[in-house]
């Protein structure tokens, strides 16, 4: 009897232990939000409520059985989820950063996912039949997937950190809030540190984020002043006057005048002529002779994009991974504008469009390790107050090949360098002209004085030419 009781007790302890693990997996951890990202998380003993305060939708998440009598909840989900469908690339990035890539089983366009660590053979097309087989669908709106659809932000109205903090929202569906909170805190700390380090730049460059669009045959030229782009440029120590954004976006001349003070531009136009996108860009923005335009960013060819990292088929990785890691995006932009700030940084997304070559990089095992992914590894930033800007003579030529068929004046250097060099050259010319003028003035004065002395009748003996040199 005693042996039976001991066995029963041992079995009970094992069951309780297993139950404890299950409960641990389904525990609700309360975390804080740092950036007012547009959602809230409210924890109850039996459920948690995620409220999308932008779209005004409430999602209820529970472990065992759906709670009764909870008002105002639009959709309920049992968590943790095990299978996920995605309609927006940022969802795939969040899953990768959280370590839940295996949960991604369906996508709107599986071929457009750039994460090389996904098992493509297991990812189905997210049609109506496949949607029934997933637990949740992350979309651009809450209505596109029926009761399983959950919205993630896809526009740029949020700041980089606000957008990245939605990783906590996604993590809540896996009861993985603590991991997401720790990762985001590291990302936020690094982002804010680099931002602060760049706020003592003595000569702030001008930079604009721009876009061309074709609206039913009518061209549209835009200076983008959304929170996302403005925050990144400011964080890199750049300045601009986005009040110049045009009321009439079809006026090319006004657009060109508005950005002519730029030292750098970052473009997000949908360019399609791969291998010739630089030529396509100049054509769309009306620059027929850029090297003789007198515009700084055209002379230095500082035209950049965010689609350097791509899939093998050419799909940009930025919407998938870039939005998840704003600290790395900021470092990319800093490396373009202030190349001496951190010479060891390797750009991931910033692509130089100013030359004839398009040096895109396909993500592969050489630059992304699936067993130790850099998307979930944050390098600590060291605070510094000594950085006042890159040496204006610094030429960031690592990704700017010398195009022999073009005028390379100013190539590889910023517009600031051109302005400073121009000033130095002008001063040098002024000094040289002054010396030459002084020389001829003195020469004229000497000759005149000698002539006067020769003709003078004063003082008895005259002064010969040898003695006259003392007066020159």
């Amino acid at each position: 009897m005693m042996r039976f009781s001991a066995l029963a007790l041992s079995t009970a302890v094992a069951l309780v232990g297993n139950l404890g693990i299950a409960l641990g997996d389904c525990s609700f951890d309360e975390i804080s939000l740092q950036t007012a990202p547009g959602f809230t998380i409210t924890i109850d003993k039996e459920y948690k409520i995620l409220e999308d305060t932008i779209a005004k939708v409430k999602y209820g998440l529970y472990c065992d059985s759906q709670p009764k009598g909870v008002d105002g909840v639009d959709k309920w989900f049992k968590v943790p989820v095990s299978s996920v469908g995605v309609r927006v690339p940022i969802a795939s990035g969040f899953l990768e950063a959280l370590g839940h890539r295996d949960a991604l089983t369906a996508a709107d366009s599986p071929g457009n996912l750039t994460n090389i660590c996904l098992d493509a053979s297991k990812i189905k097309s997210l049609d109506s039949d496949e949607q029934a087989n997933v637990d949740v669908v992350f979309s651009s709106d809450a209505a596109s997937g029926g009761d399983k659809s959950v919205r993630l932000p896809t526009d740029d109205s949020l700041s980089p950190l606000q957008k990245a903090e939605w990783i906590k929202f996604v993590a809540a569906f896996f009861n993985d809030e603590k991991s997401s909170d720790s990762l985001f805190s590291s990302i936020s700390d690094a982002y804010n540190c680099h931002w602060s380090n760049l706020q003592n730049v003595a000569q702030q460059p001008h930079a604009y984020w721009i876009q061309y669009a074709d609206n039913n045959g009518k061209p549209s030229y835009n200076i983008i002043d959304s929170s996302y782009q403005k925050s990144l440029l400011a964080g890199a120590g750049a300045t601009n006057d986005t009040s110049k954004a045009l009321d009439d976006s079809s006026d090319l001349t006004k657009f060109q005048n508005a950005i002519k003070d730029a030292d750098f531009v970052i473009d997000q136009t949908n360019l399609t002529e791969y291998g010739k996108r630089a030529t396509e860009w100049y054509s769309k923005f009306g620059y027929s002779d850029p090297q003789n335009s007198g515009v700084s960013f055209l002379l230095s060819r500082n035209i950049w994009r965010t689609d350097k990292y791509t899939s093998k088929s050419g799909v940009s990785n930025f919407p998938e991974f870039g939005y998840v890691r704003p600290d790395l995006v900021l470092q990319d932009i800093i490396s373009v504008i202030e190349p001496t700030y951190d010479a060891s940084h390797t750009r991931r997304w910033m692509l130089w469009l100013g030359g004839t070559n398009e040096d895109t990089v396909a993500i592969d095992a050489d630059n992304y390790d699936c067993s130790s992914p850099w998307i979930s590894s944050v390098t600590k930033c060291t605070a510094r107050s000594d950085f006042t800007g890159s040496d204006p003579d610094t030429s960031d030529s690592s990704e700017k090949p010398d195009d022999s068929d073009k005028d390379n004046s100013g190539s590889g250097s910023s517009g600031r360098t051109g302005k400073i060099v121009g000033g130095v050259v002008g001063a040098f010319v002024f000094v040289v002209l002054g010396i030459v003028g002084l020389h001829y003035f003195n020469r004229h004065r000497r000759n005149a004085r000698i002539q006067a002395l020769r003709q003078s009748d004063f003082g008895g003996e005259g002064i010969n030419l040898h003695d006259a040199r003392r007066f020159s």
Side-chain angles (χ1 to χ4, degrees):
M1 184 71 178
M2 290 294 293
R3 292 180 60 191
F4 175 78
S5 298
L7 179 61
L9 180 60
S10 175
T11 303
V13 168
L15 288 172
V16 169
N18 290 336
L19 183 60
I21 293 173
L23 288 174
D25 286 346
C26 205
S27 62
F28 296 150
D29 295 316
E30 192 164 356
I31 59 172
S32 60
L33 301 177
Q34 298 181 24
T35 68
F39 69 90
T40 60
I41 303 178
T42 305
I43 303 296
D44 191 88
K45 289 187 296 183
E46 297 182 357
Y47 60 88
K48 52 190 170 184
I49 302 296
L50 304 183
E51 182 177 2
D52 180 343
T53 56
I54 298 174
K56 296 180 172 51
V57 180
K58 288 185 179 181
Y59 308 97
L61 280 59
Y62 63 92
C63 282
D64 299 316
S65 57
Q66 181 175 325
K68 305 293 184 181
V70 181
D71 297 330
V73 176
D74 297 288
K75 301 179 182 183
W76 285 98
F77 296 88
K78 186 173 183 177
V79 294
V81 297
S82 59
S83 59
V84 174
V86 300
R87 297 189 187 280
V88 289
I90 191 176
S92 171
F94 282 145
L95 294 176
E96 175 68 10
L98 291 167
H100 295 302
R101 69 169 77 112
D102 291 340
L104 203 167
T105 59
D108 247 357
S109 301
N112 286 340
L113 294 175
T114 64
N115 184 359
I116 63 170
C117 306
L118 297 172
D119 187 345
S121 66
K122 295 182 179 179
I123 301 177
K124 310 296 183 183
S125 181
L126 192 56
D127 54 25
S128 57
D129 291 335
E130 194 58 37
Q131 189 166 291
N133 297 324
V134 298
D135 299 322
V136 61
V137 177
F138 291 113
S139 308
S140 59
D141 64 84
S144 61
D147 291 339
K148 294 184 177 182
S149 183
V150 172
R151 189 192 80 93
L152 293 181
T154 55
D155 63 17
D156 292 331
S157 59
L158 297 176
S159 74
L161 284 180
Q162 285 178 318
K163 201 165 190 175
E165 194 165 15
W166 279 75
I167 194 171
K168 299 178 183 179
F169 184 92
V170 173
F173 287 84
F174 296 89
N175 294 328
D176 202 7
E177 288 94 326
K178 279 190 174 180
S179 295
S180 68
D181 190 45
S182 176
L183 176 58
F184 179 76
S185 291
S186 297
I187 292 171
S188 176
D189 288 346
Y191 181 92
N192 288 325
C193 175
H194 290 299
W195 174 296
S196 297
N197 289 350
L198 267 292
Q199 300 312 301
N200 296 313
V201 174
Q203 187 179 3
Q204 290 183 303
H206 295 293
Y208 293 93
W209 212 297
I210 63 173
Q211 183 178 35
Y212 166 90
D214 187 333
N215 295 329
N216 297 320
K218 184 178 181 180
S220 177
Y221 309 95
N222 298 284
I223 296 174
I224 300 172
D225 60 351
S226 299
S227 179
Y228 185 86
Q229 288 83 0
K230 287 176 67 174
S231 296
L232 285 170
L233 291 178
T239 184
N240 59 45
D241 183 6
T242 54
S243 65
K244 294 179 179 178
L246 308 179
D247 294 331
D248 180 8
S249 61
S250 66
D251 193 321
L252 175 59
T253 301
K254 287 184 178 179
F255 173 81
Q256 291 182 345
N257 287 335
I259 66 169
K260 67 181 180 181
D261 66 338
D263 297 302
F264 303 85
V265 296
I266 301 176
D267 174 64
Q268 64 179 48
T269 301
N270 180 27
L271 300 177
T272 59
E273 298 178 16
Y274 289 93
K276 298 181 179 179
R277 290 191 296 173
T279 302
E280 182 184 5
W281 187 91
Y282 287 122
S283 175
K284 287 186 181 297
F285 284 97
Y287 294 113
S288 58
D289 189 11
Q291 288 303 305
N292 292 309
S293 64
V295 177
S296 292
F297 78 88
L298 293 174
L299 295 176
S300 58
R301 294 186 290 171
N302 269 309
I303 306 164
W304 296 82
R305 292 173 59 84
T306 60
D307 51 4
K308 178 180 177 180
Y309 263 19
T310 69
S311 67
K312 289 183 178 179
S313 61
V315 178
S316 173
N317 170 259
F318 186 82
E320 195 168 344
F321 282 12
Y323 285 132
V324 180
R325 289 299 303 272
D327 57 318
L328 294 179
V329 177
L330 178 59
Q331 286 177 268
D332 264 20
I333 297 175
I334 291 172
S335 74
V336 167
I337 295 178
E338 301 291 352
T340 63
Y341 170 72
D342 181 4
S344 66
H345 176 74
T346 299
R347 293 188 198 115
R348 291 175 171 84
W349 298 289
M350 293 300 288
L351 170 72
W352 183 56
L353 195 68
T356 57
N357 296 326
E358 293 180 25
D359 295 327
T360 56
V361 175
I363 296 182
D364 56 25
D366 291 334
N367 50 53
Y368 193 79
D369 184 353
C370 295
S371 62
S372 181
W374 50 253
I375 194 173
S376 54
S377 176
V378 182
T379 300
K380 185 176 176 61
C381 165
T382 301
R384 53 187 294 194
S385 59
D386 62 316
F387 185 77
T388 57
S390 296
D391 183 340
D393 291 329
T394 298
S395 174
D396 179 26
S397 58
S398 60
E399 295 181 29
K400 293 186 177 183
D402 183 15
D403 298 329
S404 58
D405 60 331
K406 290 194 175 185
D407 174 12
N408 289 316
S409 59
S411 178
S413 60
S414 74
R416 287 177 292 165
T417 302
K419 293 171 185 175
I420 292 174
V421 170
V424 171
V425 171
F428 177 76
V429 171
F430 178 79
V431 170
V432 170
L433 290 176
I435 293 172
V436 172
L438 183 60
H439 168 73
Y440 279 105
F441 173 76
N442 285 333
R443 183 176 171 182
H444 171 75
R445 186 180 65 173
R446 182 187 66 183
N447 291 338
R449 189 164 189 178
I450 290 172
Q451 184 69 20
L453 289 171
R454 277 178 165 176
Q455 296 175 354
S456 176
D457 291 331
F458 300 101
E461 296 182 2
I463 300 175
N464 61 36
L465 292 179
H466 178 76
D467 294 329
R469 290 193 185 95
R470 290 181 290 130
F471 295 91
S472 63

